[in-house]
Amino acid sequence: MKQLGLLILGFIPFALLANPVAVSKDTVLMGSAFSFTAVHESSDEAWHAIYAGIEEVSRIEALISSWSTTSETHAVNMNAGIAPVKVSKELFDLIQRSKKISELSNGYFDISFASIDKVWKFDGSTVAIPSDEALAASVSKINYNNIVLDKLAHTVFLKEKGMKIGFGAIGKGYAANKAKMVMEQRGAKGGVVNAGGDLTSWGNRPDGKPWTIGIADPIDKNNIISWLNISDMAVVTSGNYERYATINGKKYCHIIDPKTGWPVTGLTSVTIVCKDAELADALATTVFVLGEKDGLKLINHLQGVECVIINYLHEITSSNNLNINALSNYEKN
């Protein structure tokens, strides 16, 4: 799950500049805080672009939501172990891309993670560590290889009863991509879509400068510990600082290893930077689970993808080709 760990710096929403102008709107979509900013010569056209982006995200939510009984995703889940379900090309392609990321990450990213039996609760009700048997059982139905795709029939079949797919670790990135595309088509010369921490940008600010994106301090999300100047890039942050269970004085974060059922340890924040918000969304979770060493190894082997990692010692590490500006008392490795 992504946290809202990215802030747009050096920009005042609704500021009316000489030419062009920029407008912004905050709203709640897909269960998360969304922020839309559009740059255009006409403020009216900028607003039209923003509302087109909001409408597009709402459309995607109706398509991929596993909670809505009318969504294609819900139909796939309800027919797990029973029968294949014909879906739209859009959903089929999203599932196919998700499986490719599963292959790339050796299963540490897996949309069938939705099958997990939630033995960990992060609302204060979990007061004891689940048994080894319960942990093993909780992840027993997570297996992307059991998501069967038929390209000719455009069907999706989950082999085991009780299996589910969900897009919590990739859906907002996909929605940000699609909203950006629609807003550009509506004439926005530049802009930012921040989908609950999954941020994508294009063009420049009204003053012609690139967008300055701040990465939130995992300890105090109201503070900034590093920043990046970006244009036509996506930045996605995943953090463990808002949802956790406390057992015998120890904190267990909400991000679960899909292979063991245990909450992951070692990192407090992962930020991915690349052209594609969907890919960045998926990789942020993946790197968090893999950890600092293996996560950096993966990113450094991917062309055009960079990352910033903050570990539990408050040390900042970045991938080989990314220069970051570090603030505060955090140590840059």
Side-chain angles (χ1 to χ4, degrees):
M1 178 178 179
K2 303 299 174 296
Q3 308 299 323
L4 190 55
L6 300 170
L7 302 173
I8 307 173
L9 306 180
F11 171 69
I12 302 176
F14 306 104
L16 194 60
L17 305 178
N19 188 23
V21 296
V23 297
S24 292
K25 181 174 179 59
D26 298 331
T27 188
V28 176
L29 295 162
M30 303 177 75
S32 295
F34 271 64
S35 177
F36 298 81
T37 298
V39 177
H40 198 284
E41 289 81 2
S42 162
S43 61
D44 286 344
E45 292 302 319
W47 280 115
H48 288 321
I50 283 179
Y51 283 110
I54 292 173
E55 184 178 348
E56 177 69 356
V57 173
S58 297
R59 183 191 68 79
I60 292 166
E61 182 175 12
L63 174 70
I64 70 174
S65 172
S66 57
W67 300 105
S68 171
T69 57
T70 60
S71 75
E72 292 182 5
T73 304
H74 180 78
V76 170
N77 291 342
M78 290 299 292
N79 282 278
I82 301 171
V85 174
K86 187 176 180 61
V87 299
S88 63
K89 182 179 186 301
E90 182 175 14
L91 185 63
F92 187 92
D93 290 347
L94 177 60
I95 296 171
Q96 189 172 54
R97 292 194 302 272
S98 297
K99 287 196 66 176
K100 288 181 179 178
I101 298 173
S102 295
E103 293 167 359
L104 174 70
S105 67
N106 194 29
Y108 283 99
F109 172 84
D110 193 330
I111 58 172
S112 69
F113 182 83
S115 309
I116 193 170
D117 182 9
K118 297 179 181 179
V119 295
W120 296 92
K121 308 292 184 183
F122 302 100
D123 57 3
S125 61
T126 297
V127 295
I129 295 174
S131 67
D132 290 342
E133 293 77 13
L135 290 171
S138 72
V139 296
S140 63
K141 294 186 184 298
I142 300 174
N143 187 348
Y144 69 92
N145 288 309
N146 287 336
I147 304 172
V148 181
L149 302 179
D150 186 325
K151 293 182 181 180
L152 293 179
H154 262 219
T155 59
V156 182
F157 178 53
L158 307 182
K159 280 186 176 181
E160 291 191 49
K161 283 190 175 183
M163 273 191 74
K164 295 178 182 178
I165 58 171
F167 300 95
I170 197 171
K172 288 194 291 293
Y174 175 62
N177 277 351
K178 296 290 285 184
K180 169 188 172 182
M181 183 180 71
V182 167
M183 290 171 69
E184 285 187 291
Q185 290 172 347
R186 292 300 299 263
K189 310 299 183 184
V192 174
V193 178
N194 190 342
D198 297 5
L199 182 150
T200 188
S201 69
W202 69 100
N204 294 307
R205 302 187 317 187
D207 59 7
K209 295 180 180 180
W211 302 98
T212 301
I213 305 302
I215 299 175
D217 186 336
I219 297 175
D220 181 0
K221 66 178 182 178
N222 294 315
N223 288 332
I224 298 300
I225 52 89
S226 63
W227 75 94
L228 301 162
N229 293 319
I230 65 168
S231 181
D232 301 308
M233 295 294 285
V235 183
V236 172
T237 291
S238 181
N240 71 350
Y241 36 87
E242 289 189 338
R243 293 181 60 218
Y244 51 83
T246 303
I247 302 172
N248 296 327
K250 183 177 180 179
K251 290 183 178 179
Y252 295 85
C253 85
H254 74 282
I255 300 175
I256 305 295
D257 186 326
K259 296 181 182 290
T260 67
W262 278 93
V264 300
T265 60
L267 304 183
T268 58
S269 176
V270 171
T271 298
I272 302 292
V273 182
C274 68
K275 289 282 188 181
D276 186 347
E278 177 187 309
L279 178 62
D281 193 359
L283 289 177
T285 303
T286 302
V287 171
F288 211 109
V289 177
L290 284 173
E292 187 170 357
K293 180 181 177 180
D294 291 338
L296 279 172
K297 183 178 179 180
L298 172 65
I299 298 302
N300 284 328
H301 278 85
L302 297 177
Q303 187 174 3
V305 181
E306 305 296 337
C307 75
V308 180
I309 293 174
I310 304 174
N311 65 23
Y312 74 102
L313 296 175
H314 304 166
E315 297 169 333
I316 299 177
T317 305
S318 60
S319 53
N320 291 342
N321 299 311
L322 184 67
N323 293 318
I324 61 171
N325 303 281
L327 297 173
S328 183
N329 296 320
Y330 282 73
E331 179 182 348
K332 184 177 178 183
N333 286 344

